[in-house]
Amino acid sequence: MARAAAEQLRLADVVQSWLGRPVLVIGDAMLDEWRFADSDRLCREAPAPVLTLRRRISAAGGAANTAVNIATLGGRSVLVAPVGADAAGDELHDCLDRAGVWDRTVSQPGRPTPVKRRMLAGDQILLREDSGDPDDPLSDLGVDCLLTALDCASAELRAASGGEKPTLVVCDYGLGALPAPVRAWLVEHRDLYATVALDAHDLADWRGLAPTVVTPSFAEATRLLARAGVVGPTTSPAPADPAGTATTGGHELHLEHPEVDPADGPSELTVGMAPGEAGMRRTDGPTGEPTPGESRVAMTRDGLSVTGTGVTVNAEIGAGVDRAVLAESRLAELRAHTGAAVVAVTLDTEGAVVGGIDGEPARSHTTPVPASHTVGAGDAYLAAMTLALAADAPLSTAAQLAQLAATSTVAGTGTCVCRREDLLAALGRPTLDGRQVLVDTGHLAEIVAGHRRAGRSIVFTNGCFDVLHRGHVRYLEQARALGDLLVVAVNSDGSVRRLKGADRPVNPIEDRAALLAALTCVDHVVVFEEDSPAALIEAVRPDVYVKGGDYPPELVPEAPLVHRLGGQVRTLGYVPDRSTSAIIDRIRAYGQEGLTGAEAGPTAPAPEVETSGATGADAPPLTGKAP
């Protein structure tokens, strides 16, 4: 449990570290419209349901939703995209404003804002209507305006972040927002951006960009390999027999490349097990028909084949194809053909496979949910992956956070948006008004410095807080009233054992820290391993240091250090008849009721009392031990 808590804290620290990270998003922005209806009968004219509209909501979609996710996850998000001068464009601007995205979109009169309208009944999507012609190109003036906005937004972000190079996210969904001149500008000015993330339906259009990470779907990755004519596990073609069988990572894959001119569109690639090979297992994937406009891939109900626009993964040739195994075997080719350092192949309800230049591929998983719950989950995945890599997180950590961000957004119907507080809550790290409550010692000084720059006074206290009771709560409320925010340092389990004996703590550090973080009077909780809080006091430099007790502040062992740092020391009295020792004694007494003296045995000695919130009778010796 302690190891899991440490891992969650490490991931939460990454989320904390990307706060304010400058990110420029460019690409195809659209509006998602959701119409929720009731239906209890069929119409007389046709075997179709009669719908009664109950609710309508709008949300940012495509590149706009990626920008929204970056903002809600804590990044500084700027969107550059063409948007129509129409009602849908107005709604999209409102969505961006509400999310705190810097709206640097370019109005395109005469070119409508792309809209995806979904009609639902009983949480089931009945139909989707798309408007906005993807073949309607930007005018020359529109391209010039877009390039100007891109240049200005890049400079604006860099200036706002003190000269730091911003991160770039490219969302190319084939709707015409990224014509050749814009792609050429981005390739030419690649060095303006520290981290570049690319999500494109057609990755072949972005040769030369050298992205940090690409996040293709399984269909998009397969299409790229088909167009490149790749049949082996590396950039050089593997030996193939006349039937087109190639050896890949110990598995024989049967590849078929229909004779189609690449200029006419992506070739179709059929992938399956070679006859007689049973190295890959059959998988049961999602059901449903593919959506050609989105180049998605879907597995048929019989679980034998997966199809999509320009792609057919055929499992009828042999035992079946595990998409994760297949994607993992092709990571090297995908990196070679995209120039990306990291490739993350998303697999819908099966999670993702992520690989970089060094290290083993990472495999993440998710739980299948209704299709109406997953719209935009890929945008949340892309946003979290980008922010984590921009914050120099290890690839395995970035993959974990990206999958968690996508998974935590699919609880209900609608366009998925992951908020920073939702991600931290999924990691077991509660937040208060958007602030992370449980923090790591390595980031505590930075967090406190931010509060101090904002003019807030810092109150600091420490203790074991083993069995949280009314005395503790009263003590912490009084401490919080002495300043603008309260930082509570809590002793680790090992520290408590050294201070109070082998039978303590009663509650592990995960529980003690979580309960303290849940108190509204507590702003930040930090766990420390040492027996004395001296190192934390030096890092925090509190304006007020608080101890529990009825003795003068000058007798507090930490007082000389606090005074040297420019702070003051306060002692707070106890709540009568409230102490951890008394609670433990009562529990032990109850456990022995009804037993004979021989059965009960000797009464266990009462453990050393806590110094915070204890009764007057429990007042501790003046050692520097915390409550």
Side-chain angles (χ1 to χ4, degrees), residues 398-415:
Q400 284 180 274
L401 289 171
Q403 190 64 67
L404 186 59
T407 303
S408 64
T409 66
V410 297
T413 298
T415 303

Side-chain angles (χ1 to χ4, degrees), residues 428-452:
R429 305 292 151 188
T431 62
L432 180 63
D433 297 330
R435 301 190 306 274
Q436 184 178 342
V437 180
L438 288 170
V439 298
D440 181 72
T441 54
H443 292 93
L444 180 61
E446 177 184 349
I447 293 171
V448 168
H451 287 301
R452 186 161 280 121

Side-chain angles (χ1 to χ4, degrees), residues 201-215:
H201 281 353
D202 193 346
L203 292 166
D205 286 341
W206 291 94
R207 292 187 181 93
L209 182 63
T212 308
V213 57
V214 293
T215 59

Side-chain angles (χ1 to χ4, degrees), residues 201-513:
H201 281 353
D202 193 346
L203 292 166
D205 286 341
W206 291 94
R207 292 187 181 93
L209 182 63
T212 308
V213 57
V214 293
T215 59
S217 67
F218 182 78
E220 292 160 356
T222 309
R223 181 182 304 108
L224 177 67
L225 296 179
R227 294 186 65 176
V230 174
V231 294
T234 63
T235 54
S236 354
D241 62 20
T245 301
T247 302
T248 302
H251 302 290
E252 291 185 348
L253 300 178
H254 186 75
L255 308 181
E256 298 176 1
H257 296 271
E259 297 298 328
V260 178
D261 185 350
D264 295 334
S267 301
E268 178 156 309
L269 170 65
T270 301
V271 184
M273 293 305 303
E277 174 63 53
M280 295 184 184
R281 61 180 176 83
R282 176 180 300 178
T283 59
D284 296 323
T287 63
E289 292 300 318
T291 309
E294 294 182 343
S295 301
R296 287 185 177 176
V297 69
M299 184 172 284
T300 56
R301 188 173 297 278
D302 60 12
L304 295 178
S305 61
V306 183
T307 61
T309 304
V311 183
T312 300
V313 180
N314 187 350
E316 294 178 352
I317 311 175
V321 168
D322 184 327
R323 295 194 301 164
V325 173
L326 180 56
E328 183 175 324
S329 72
R330 295 300 202 229
L331 288 174
E333 292 101 314
L334 291 169
R335 287 197 304 272
H337 286 284
T338 60
V342 174
V343 173
V345 180
T346 55
L347 304 170
D348 317 313
T349 57
E350 297 174 53
V353 173
V354 183
I357 298 174
D358 302 319
E360 292 295 321
R363 175 77 166 93
S364 59
H365 299 270
T366 187
T367 303
V369 295
S372 60
H373 292 193
T374 63
V375 175
D379 302 329
Y381 184 97
L382 175 63
M385 171 69 76
T386 302
L387 286 167
L389 291 177
D392 297 323
L395 178 56
S396 59
T397 298
Q400 284 180 274
L401 289 171
Q403 190 64 67
L404 186 59
T407 303
S408 64
T409 66
V410 297
T413 298
T415 303
C416 294
V417 173
C418 184
R419 301 180 304 164
R420 177 172 164 269
E421 48 266 40
D422 296 334
L423 187 56
L424 288 170
L427 291 168
R429 305 292 151 188
T431 62
L432 180 63
D433 297 330
R435 301 190 306 274
Q436 184 178 342
V437 180
L438 288 170
V439 298
D440 181 72
T441 54
H443 292 93
L444 180 61
E446 177 184 349
I447 293 171
V448 168
H451 287 301
R452 186 161 280 121
R453 285 193 298 269
R456 302 185 184 100
S457 58
I458 314 298
V459 181
F460 182 93
T461 191
N462 60 278
C464 299
F465 300 99
D466 191 2
V467 179
L468 197 64
H469 53 73
R470 178 185 171 190
H472 288 137
V473 175
R474 174 71 180 277
Y475 168 81
L476 293 172
E477 288 175 341
Q478 290 177 334
R480 176 62 172 79
L482 298 175
D484 295 317
L485 74 146
L486 174 63
V487 177
V488 178
V490 57
N491 295 75
S492 68
D493 290 346
S495 177
V496 174
R497 280 191 291 271
R498 291 191 299 271
L499 293 172
K500 297 184 177 295
D503 59 346
R504 299 284 294 275
V506 174
N507 292 308
I509 184 58
E510 295 85 6
D511 294 349
R512 293 185 284 127

Side-chain angles (χ1 to χ4, degrees), residues 101-124:
V101 175
W102 292 9
D103 186 351
R104 302 299 182 262
T105 56
V106 177
S107 179
Q108 299 285 323
R111 188 177 188 273
T113 303
V115 180
K116 292 183 180 180
R117 297 180 179 89
R118 296 171 176 86
M119 179 68 79
L120 300 91
D123 205 31
Q124 175 66 47

